[in-house]
Amino acid sequence: MSPWLRLPLLALAWLAGLGLAGALAGMIVVAVGLAMAYPNLPDISELADYKPKLPLRVYSQEGALLGEFGEERRNLTPIEDIPQVMTHAVLAIEDARFFEHGGVDYRGMLRAVLANLGRVKSQGASTITMQVARNVYLSSEKTFTRKIYEILLTFKLEHLLTKNQILEIYMNQIYLGNRAYGFAAAAETYFGKPLKSITIAEAAMLAGLPKAPSAYNPISNPKRARMRQLYIIERMQDNGFISAAEAASAKQEPLRLRSAGDNTRVHAEYVAEMARQLIFAQYGSEAYTRGLNVYTTLNAGEQDAAYFALRRGIMDYERRQHYRGPERFVTLPTAPAEVEDAIDDALASHPDNGDVLAAVVLEASAKKIIAARADGEKLEITGEGLKPAQSGLSDKAAPNIKIRRGAVIRVLQTPKKTWEITQLPEVEGAFVALDPRTGAIRALVGGFDFDKNKFNHVTQAWRQPGSAFKPFIYSAALEKGFTPATIINDAPLFFSAGVTGGQPWEPKNYDGKYDGPMSLRTGLARSKNLVSIRVLQAVGPKTAQQWVSQFGFEAEKHPAYLTMALGAGSVTPMQMATSYSVFANGGYRINPYLITRVSDHKGRVLANFQPPALQDSPRAIDARNAFIMDSLLQEVTRSGTAARAQATLRRPDLYGKTGTTNDSVDAWFAGFQPTLAAVAWIGYDQPRNLGSRETGGGLSLPIWISFMEKALKGVPVSEPTVPPGVVNVGGEWYYEEYARSGGVASLGLEAGAASHDGAAATTAPPPPPSEERSKILDLFRN
């Protein structure tokens, strides 16, 4: 062999030997590294019994989801319950050879390297098992050491678990954006439907999320999400998971995404928060990770009826208020594309509030407004739709309320499908309904919008009940010999500063009129203040204070003064609903309750609650007292201040009382049908006048009627049962001992005065002025 040829061959052999030695050395280093790293791997035996963090979920009695609490939204779904279309979509894009390789797909890695070198569509090399190892045990940092641990964990997982177990963990563990972990939670989050119901197109969209949940989010990045979805559909076809026809159909399928303002869910945010607080008090921070399911007494249909009734009542009131001006002004460019971006930016910080939508004004005149929504929809507002904001369209409008191009306004769609300009309300409200026989809360809305104001007005707002408190004074009077036929003088009263110990007081009726003698029944039906004050004078404020505490009111919040007759104390809407339940159920005091059952994610019951039988509950008042009070409250809804109730609902078994406080600060209606007691309230958080013509009958009663119209649909009319000790004489109900004689015949009359009801009144002559003054003074000292 030529020396010239031998030399290169020797050099080549030397280099080959050097390379082989280097490779062997590298293999030895890797082997030593693996040997040292393997003992430090985490114990993965717990994955054999996979227990991820599961959120606390709150449900209605029918099983409708009301709320979810916990950092990770997840519905733990066994692999056998995951639809094949979802599995195929994931395998097509993430790991098509998952069931063939041993955890590391060497062919896939080589294909990814070649594809990336060739600068075609970039491909990843991580298998599903590798992703499980990384997501469960490792960080996302890209280092050589972490990759070694990932591969070792992958082999360990493949050795310990079956392929189906690994796939189940992946399908439940992977983060998919919007706090959704796992594909079952993602299906609910993005499409508002269970995983079992998704289509090929929807599965492909969800399968695109693991790579980059924010980049491929179909809500925030619809274009990029759409491109990835189409690619995954093609991969599903290439791998034989779907046919060409199915792929073509899936590519054309329109997707209905669940937006942040989705109105299909049950609006029970205040109830969900109440349940969360109760469960957290019991289980602590574990409540948010154990997968507890909390079932409440709430009826989903009645809750929806309450939510929409309260919002409608508040918005109807808002329509009568002075327009306060646009929420913001933005400068809109002239280029159409730039205008769209400016509108998107402006409305991002002014999201829709239920059906009260946000829009940006493009054109404005006294006769027409054209406004744009975030989705590009153009709205035209004319005629009646402009009336609520007429002051903002005037040429003389101040700059801060002037509606002009670039103004961010609120709009509402009317029943006629036209648009009306409106504004977010400043006033608040509350509504609660419960079963008076058990105390089960059927519906509860603590305010206009939970995201805007988390203060629960049903349980936390202490307000004056006004005339809605009068029935409890009348109930006390029945035990003092009063009857529905007792004649009471609706005439002026005056209490000097010397009598009251403070300011002079001259109480007035709401309408400022005095109608003279009338029956106690009429006095309550027409909500006559002077009648109520005279009744309380006769009963005694101290006695009345003790009496009302039997209904659940706190005595210290109802000072023993004559002003108690006008509802000057403090109550919550929940207290009012519970107390009116006493009249509804025949005299028993029940405790409201919300939670019926708590179970874990496997359905095992951890706690169960059943209320006591009604007859085992403590009595607040006698059955005959409740019966006669029902008769009086029925008169209120038949011919009195709430006559609209029976006229609208066309059923006689409705009972209740309107309430409007001094200066129209609080507006109430509290009432019931024997199977359902409900209370509506409207007022400002910082108490102020609602308006000179605003009353409980005009503001809160329509809310109550709207709710009852839906809640009582199909409920048969209830016929009252006359309890022992009550008799009817001449069409009026009496305690048996007062039917023929005895009891209080009249109050506050001169001898022989004619009553408002057309009957002659008899009473003893009034005491001399000095004696009467002393008697009134004693009342204020009680």
Side-chain angles (χ1 to χ4, degrees):
M1 182 180 293
S2 168
W4 297 102
L5 184 60
R6 186 183 301 114
L7 185 63
L9 289 174
L10 288 173
L12 186 62
W14 182 82
L15 289 173
L18 186 63
L20 180 60
L24 289 172
M27 292 175 64
I28 292 171
V29 170
V30 170
V32 171
L34 293 177
M36 295 178 64
Y38 197 85
N40 296 322
L41 292 177
D43 180 15
I44 64 172
S45 60
E46 62 184 26
L47 279 184
D49 184 21
Y50 176 57
K51 294 180 179 178
K53 292 181 180 179
L54 298 174
L56 166 69
R57 290 190 175 92
V58 182
Y59 296 93
S60 71
Q61 63 176 10
E62 309 93 338
L65 182 64
L66 306 180
E68 195 172 35
F69 302 94
E71 292 183 7
E72 301 180 6
R73 292 176 178 167
R74 181 184 282 109
N75 295 328
L76 185 58
T77 309
I79 190 66
E80 59 268 19
D81 293 336
I82 298 174
Q84 195 174 54
V85 65
M86 189 70 251
T87 303
H88 285 165
V90 170
L91 293 177
I93 190 61
E94 295 294 336
D95 192 354
R97 298 184 64 252
F98 171 72
F99 287 100
E100 300 172 24
H101 61 66
V104 177
D105 187 3
Y106 302 104
R107 285 171 51 185
M109 291 176 67
L110 180 60
R111 185 172 59 250
V113 169
L114 293 176
N116 295 337
L117 288 175
R119 296 187 178 183
V120 297
K121 186 179 288 288
S122 176
Q123 295 184 15
S126 290
T127 65
I128 283 177
T129 311
M130 293 167 73
Q131 291 184 58
V132 169
R134 181 168 63 247
N135 290 329
V136 176
Y137 292 106
L138 302 174
S139 67
S140 59
E141 61 177 346
K142 295 183 179 180
T143 65
F144 182 71
T145 302
R146 197 227 65 189
K147 196 66 179 177
I148 289 177
Y149 274 100
E150 181 180 306
I151 293 173
L152 289 174
L153 275 174
T154 297
F155 291 141
K156 198 170 183 179
L157 285 170
E158 290 276 347
H159 175 72
L160 178 69
L161 306 176
T162 67
K163 284 289 188 179
N164 275 339
Q165 284 177 309
I166 294 171
L167 188 58
E168 179 181 293
I169 293 170
Y170 177 84
M171 300 294 279
N172 284 283
Q173 181 71 22
I174 195 74
Y175 177 61
L176 300 171
N178 285 30
R179 287 175 51 216
Y181 288 77
F183 289 96
E188 291 283 356
T189 298
Y190 293 107
F191 299 115
K193 62 196 305 186
L195 186 62
K196 64 182 180 181
S197 302
I198 62 168
T199 64
I200 294 173
E202 291 166 341
M205 183 68 78
L206 295 179
L209 290 167
K211 182 177 181 180
S214 59
Y216 297 108
N217 187 309
I219 296 174
S220 58
N221 288 300
K223 291 182 180 178
R224 293 187 67 180
R226 171 66 172 164
M227 291 174 61
R228 186 157 176 80
Q229 177 210 31
L230 294 176
Y231 174 64
I232 293 173
I233 292 173
E234 292 174 0
R235 293 280 298 163
M236 293 176 73
Q237 181 184 349
D238 293 342
N239 283 278
F241 294 138
I242 59 175
S243 66
E246 288 174 322
S249 177
K251 289 179 180 180
Q252 298 299 318
E253 180 185 327
L255 297 185
R256 295 177 59 86
L257 294 172
R258 179 179 184 177
S259 64
D262 188 4
N263 289 324
T264 59
R265 63 190 176 94
V266 179
H267 287 279
E269 295 85 353
Y270 291 96
V271 174
E273 174 59 17
M274 289 172 65
R276 182 199 68 79
Q277 292 178 14
L278 291 169
I279 296 301
F280 180 79
Q282 179 72 26
Y283 295 95
S285 57
E286 282 190 359
Y288 307 132
T289 59
R290 288 183 58 179
L292 299 179
N293 296 312
V294 181
Y295 293 89
T296 68
T297 57
L298 213 69
N299 179 282
E302 292 174 13
Q303 177 65 23
D304 275 341
Y307 173 80
F308 290 112
L310 181 65
R311 284 181 66 93
R312 190 180 306 113
I314 289 176
M315 292 309 298
D316 285 345
Y317 169 78
E318 193 60 46
R319 192 175 288 110
R320 300 191 290 272
Q321 305 313 299
H322 180 74
Y323 186 62
R324 296 183 292 275
E327 295 179 13
R328 180 186 173 190
F329 295 95
V330 296
T331 301
L332 295 180
T334 54
E338 295 178 3
V339 169
E340 290 181 8
D341 291 340
I343 290 172
D344 287 345
D345 291 342
L347 297 183
S349 56
H350 295 268
D352 294 341
N353 188 302
D355 54 356
V356 183
L357 310 180
V360 176
V361 174
L362 301 178
E363 300 175 26
S365 68
K367 294 185 177 180
K368 183 172 70 174
I369 288 176
I370 295 179
R373 297 267 294 126
D375 58 5
E377 181 185 6
K378 300 289 193 302
L379 310 178
E380 184 175 298
I381 310 170
T382 59
E384 292 292 318
L386 298 175
K387 280 191 174 182
Q390 202 64 52
S391 60
L393 295 169
S394 170
D395 293 335
K396 298 180 181 180
N400 63 313
I401 68 168
K402 178 71 174 177
I403 300 176
R404 58 184 184 272
R405 179 177 168 83
V408 178
I409 62 171
R410 294 283 169 172
V411 296
L412 193 67
Q413 193 169 40
T414 69
K416 297 180 180 180
K417 302 302 180 183
T418 60
W419 292 98
E420 177 181 86
I421 192 168
T422 186
Q423 57 192 345
L424 286 175
E426 292 182 343
V427 75
E428 271 294 356
F431 187 91
V432 59
L434 52 84
D435 187 331
R437 301 162 298 183
T438 63
I441 298 172
R442 303 290 296 274
L444 186 150
V445 188
F448 180 78
D449 180 67
F450 181 78
D451 292 329
K452 174 187 168 189
N453 187 352
K454 293 178 171 54
F455 184 80
N456 190 337
H457 296 83
V458 169
T459 59
Q460 296 176 292
W462 290 92
R463 309 292 297 213
Q464 288 189 344
S467 297
F469 196 74
K470 289 177 181 176
F472 305 103
I473 304 300
Y474 281 58
S475 173
L478 294 180
E479 302 303 312
K480 294 292 184 179
F482 282 76
T483 73
T486 298
I487 301 301
I488 304 168
N489 197 9
D490 177 33
L493 285 170
F494 176 79
F495 304 99
S496 67
V499 172
T500 64
Q503 296 295 320
W505 183 42
E506 187 176 7
K508 300 181 182 299
N509 288 322
Y510 181 79
D511 57 7
K513 299 177 181 179
Y514 304 96
D515 293 321
M518 62 181 62
S519 69
L520 183 140
R521 176 180 291 276
T522 301
L524 182 61
R526 298 178 60 189
S527 198
K528 289 292 187 175
N529 289 344
L530 276 298
V531 170
S532 298
I533 292 171
R534 283 189 164 90
V535 169
L536 182 55
Q537 278 183 310
V539 171
K542 194 69 176 178
T543 299
Q545 183 191 47
Q546 295 170 349
W547 182 261
V548 302
S549 66
Q550 297 173 187
F551 290 84
F553 296 114
E554 300 174 28
E556 63 272 16
K557 291 188 179 294
H558 299 274
Y561 301 116
L562 291 180
T563 50
M564 183 167 53
L566 308 184
S570 295
V571 300
T572 67
M574 182 65 84
Q575 277 189 339
M576 291 292 279
T578 305
S579 298
Y580 268 78
S581 293
V582 174
F583 295 135
N585 65 30
Y588 295 96
R589 180 175 168 180
I590 48 91
N591 291 316
Y593 73 101
L594 179 64
I595 295 175
T596 60
R597 187 172 81 256
V598 179
S599 65
D600 63 15
H601 70 281
K602 293 185 177 179
R604 292 175 296 206
V605 176
L606 305 179
N608 209 347
F609 175 76
Q610 290 293 329
L614 185 61
Q615 60 269 23
D616 295 331
S617 300
R619 267 209 171 273
I621 57 176
D622 190 72
R624 62 181 190 167
N625 187 299
F627 177 85
I628 292 182
M629 284 306 306
D630 287 356
S631 174
L632 295 175
L633 292 171
Q634 186 181 42
E635 190 69 37
V636 177
T637 65
R638 187 184 71 82
S639 65
T641 56
R644 184 176 174 182
Q646 289 197 34
T648 303
L649 299 178
R650 298 185 180 279
R651 54 188 301 155
D653 57 341
L654 302 175
Y655 313 80
K657 182 69 184 72
T658 54
T660 310
T661 61
N662 192 35
D663 294 328
S664 298
V665 170
D666 296 276
W668 296 81
F669 185 78
F672 57 91
Q673 189 269 352
T675 64
L676 196 62
V679 171
W681 165 85
I682 285 183
Y684 288 98
D685 278 339
Q686 297 299 321
R688 60 186 171 97
N689 190 283
L690 288 164
S692 59
R693 297 184 178 181
E694 304 292 355
T695 66
L699 281 174
S700 297
L701 177 60
I703 297 171
W704 190 89
I705 291 174
S706 177
F707 169 79
M708 285 294 192
E709 188 172 25
K710 294 178 176 61
L712 296 181
K713 192 173 183 179
V715 177
V717 173
S718 177
E719 296 293 339
T721 301
V722 182
V726 174
V727 295
N728 190 290
V729 177
E732 189 56 273
W733 296 103
Y734 297 85
Y735 282 6
E736 192 170 20
E737 60 268 32
Y738 302 140
R740 300 299 177 188
S741 61
V744 179
S746 62
L747 184 65
L749 304 179
E750 295 178 358
S755 77
H756 180 76
D757 295 339
T762 59
T763 185
S770 59
E771 184 180 341
E772 185 172 15
R773 185 180 186 281
S774 176
K775 185 176 181 180
I776 294 173
L777 184 60
D778 287 339
L779 288 172
F780 277 95
R781 289 172 177 167
N782 281 348

